[in-house]
Amino acid sequence: EGIEAGKKAAAIEAVNALIKDGQVIGIGSGSTIVYAVERIAERVAAEKLSVQCIPTSFQARKLIHDNGLILESLENCPVIDIALDGADEVDAELNCIKGGGGCLTQEKIIASNAKDFFIIGDTRKKVESLGTHWKKGVPIEVIPMAYRPIQLQIEKKLGGSAELRMAHRKAGPVVTDNGNLLLDWKFQNITDWDYVNGVIKMIPGVVETGLFIHMAKAAYFGTADGSVSIRK
Ligand code: DER
């Protein structure tokens, strides 16, 4: 339906505009990136491109492999030319909430080691300020033994509520690709995301936050009718 068409339009537009022969490409996680990887594979075959793909999750690894693309590692390719990823929300300054799919830590590592980082998504993700569309809170990856004091620290320092993300088809909490747990922090009235990100990151036991502040170079948003807008 409309949302999938929007995701696909954004993904194809971005791949057509940004992917070039010889690139090392960071491949994000989630559902939108699937369309991007399928388009990359199409272009590689049609144009005989040589690209190397670095995954941001087990899902991304499997997606790269299943689409016949070259699966590479940060050991071999520590400098990434371009990283492509989805997001849960993107504000007017290109700050993102990511981690809805629980892959934020490896996603942020890849994005931070890329020369350029681009977001792709349907127009639901395009907002003026964070929290407008995405109501599930900021995902935070934490060391399992510390999740409870971290919850208390975040709530004491920043308000809101930090909830342990529970699995649906496995008993107990979601366990990330890195063997950690996730908190989803439901916030109120936040404007200084740089400050908030720093406060959360400094709490011992916090591995990473889903706040990607001033990291994206541009965001491609697709609508149901196939049109794409670019926020730079
Ligand atoms: O978990 C993530 O950060 C994903 O990129 C996610 O936020 C985007 O997922 P979607 O493309 O399925 O909306």
Side-chain angles (χ1 to χ4, degrees):
E1 85 290 358
I3 289 174
E4 289 310 307
K7 291 179 182 180
K8 187 168 185 176
I12 290 173
E13 179 89 5
V15 168
N16 289 348
L18 303 170
I19 298 304
K20 296 175 176 47
D21 190 29
Q23 283 176 332
V24 175
I25 308 168
I27 299 295
S29 303
S31 60
T32 307
I33 197 69
V34 174
Y35 298 113
V37 170
E38 288 170 351
R39 180 60 188 140
I40 292 170
E42 261 175 25
R43 287 197 53 199
V44 163
E47 303 166 44
K48 309 252 179 299
L49 304 180
S50 167
V51 297
Q52 296 165 294
C53 295
I54 314 288
T56 55
S57 62
F58 186 83
Q59 179 223 352
R61 278 180 69 88
K62 189 172 183 306
L63 189 58
I64 293 163
H65 177 265
D66 291 353
N67 282 275
L69 295 171
I70 296 172
L71 177 60
E72 257 303 349
S73 66
L74 285 177
E75 286 89 341
N76 292 334
C77 308
V79 177
I80 295 165
D81 295 303
I82 178 172
L84 267 183
D85 203 345
D88 300 307
E89 215 174 24
V90 185
D91 76 7
E93 293 168 25
L94 287 177
N95 294 323
C96 305
I97 290 179
K98 283 179 56 52
C103 305
L104 59 128
T105 296
Q106 292 185 31
E107 288 174 339
K108 197 183 275 188
I109 292 167
I110 298 304
S112 66
N113 286 287
K115 293 170 191 162
D116 294 314
F117 172 51
F118 294 93
I119 298 290
I120 52 177
D122 61 276
T123 40
R124 290 172 306 159
K125 317 305 187 62
K126 184 178 184 179
V127 299
E128 282 312 303
S129 56
L130 297 180
T132 309
H133 153 68
W134 184 255
K135 302 296 183 187
K136 296 179 180 170
V138 175
I140 301 162
E141 183 156 342
V142 301
I143 297 295
M145 54 87 84
Y147 86 86
R148 185 71 188 118
I150 293 169
Q151 278 178 308
L152 297 173
Q153 287 244 22
I154 290 175
E155 292 168 2
K156 187 175 77 179
K157 291 173 191 271
L158 299 169
S161 74
E163 295 162 18
L164 183 62
R165 189 182 299 188
M166 302 309 285
H168 294 300
R169 294 179 54 198
K170 169 194 169 292
V174 169
V175 178
T176 70
D177 292 353
N178 313 305
N180 296 316
L181 302 184
L182 291 162
L183 299 178
D184 290 303
W185 172 53
K186 298 192 176 160
F187 56 88
Q188 285 112 13
N189 322 320
I190 301 290
T191 49
D192 187 343
W193 287 107
D194 239 344
Y195 167 73
V196 163
N197 190 42
V199 168
I200 297 172
K201 259 320 276 257
M202 287 306 289
I203 300 171
V206 170
V207 175
E208 195 49 85
T209 78
L211 290 170
F212 286 49
I213 308 305
H214 298 139
M215 293 181 73
K217 182 172 186 182
Y220 288 69
F221 299 106
T223 58
D225 67 6
S227 63
V228 176
S229 64
I230 302 174
R231 181 180 262 175
K232 290 184 189 297

